[in-house]
Each structure stands twice: as C-alpha cells, then as structure tokens.
C-alpha cells in the first residue's frame, strides 16, 4: 500500500477537508499525485496540536484532477476503511460546532 503523510494544523483546513457525509468518515487530500478509484492507501495524519501521527487505511472514492473547473484544489477524496486510532471521532470532536455550518469546503 502507498503511504501518504498529511499534516493538518489549522481547524479551518480540517473543516475544509473533512467529509462527515461519508460513511465512516473521509477526507479530501490535496495532492498532485495520480491515483485510481478504489486505490487503498495508508494515511499518516498529523492533526492540529496532537503530538502523535495517526495511521488510517483509506480508499480513494473520488478524484479531482489538475485544472478542474471552479479552481478546485487537485487531489483525492478518501473514505476511512480502517480507523483503529479513532481518527473520525477525534476530527469530529475538534470540529464540534462547525459541522453543519454554511462555510464552504473543498468537498461539496
């Protein structure tokens, strides 16, 4: 499996990349690398002020290519497949009060 490192240090960035509507949780990962639908990756995520990095196995569920319309960032949308670190819960705790707001995100 490919391993990707992702560092999300700001709550606003986390909000813009997290996808609460994906079953099990998911993230948008801005990356110039090319992936295929269904690819499984291991993400190593540094989250806000948490001292350790959290590993989570994810599956690519959509692609935003370079030069996509609407100035969307190029990257991939991934769904959490194996989340032993409880990353989804950690993210939703950090974002309490922001989820469901009308702020725009990179996802929908």
């Amino acid at each position: 499996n490919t391993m990707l490192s992702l560092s999300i240090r700001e709550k606003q960035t986390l909000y813009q990349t997290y996808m609460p509507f994906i079953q099990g949780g998911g993230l948008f990962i801005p990356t110039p690398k090319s992936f295929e639908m269904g690819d499984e990756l291991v993400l190593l995520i540094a989250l806000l002020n948490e001292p350790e990095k959290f590993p989570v196995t994810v599956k690519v569920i959509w692609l935003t290519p370079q030069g996509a319309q609407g100035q969307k960032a190029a990257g991939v949308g991934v769904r959490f497949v194996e989340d032993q670190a409880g990353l989804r819960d950690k993210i939703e705790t950090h974002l309490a009060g922001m989820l469901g707001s009308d702020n725009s995100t990179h996802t929908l």
Side-chain angles (χ1 to χ4, degrees):
N1 283 6
T2 305
M3 184 169 272
L4 271 184
S5 237
L6 183 64
S7 182
I8 301 177
R9 292 299 181 198
E10 292 173 10
K11 199 175 268 198
Q12 188 62 31
T13 305
L14 181 61
Y15 174 78
Q16 288 178 332
T17 54
Y18 180 61
M19 301 184 290
F21 50 86
I22 301 290
Q23 186 177 353
L27 283 173
F28 174 77
I29 304 165
T31 178
K33 293 183 180 162
S34 291
F35 293 100
E36 301 289 320
M37 293 290 287
D39 281 358
E40 282 209 350
L41 319 167
V42 175
L43 272 189
L44 209 52
I45 300 184
L47 194 59
L48 304 177
N49 54 0
E50 307 259 3
E52 76 260 50
K53 291 189 172 189
F54 303 102
V56 59
T57 303
V58 298
K59 184 172 279 194
V60 174
I61 56 169
W62 97 71
L63 310 167
T64 303
Q66 296 276 7
Q69 63 185 36
Q71 269 68 59
K72 292 270 188 206
V76 293
V78 299
R79 177 173 65 83
F80 298 167
V81 178
E82 274 180 52
D83 182 15
Q84 285 111 339
L87 186 64
R88 178 187 184 196
D89 292 341
K90 288 183 197 317
I91 290 173
E92 293 197 349
T93 299
H94 282 299
L95 293 181
M98 291 178 79
L99 294 176
S101 77
D102 292 332
N103 295 333
S104 72
T105 72
H106 289 312
T107 58
L108 288 180

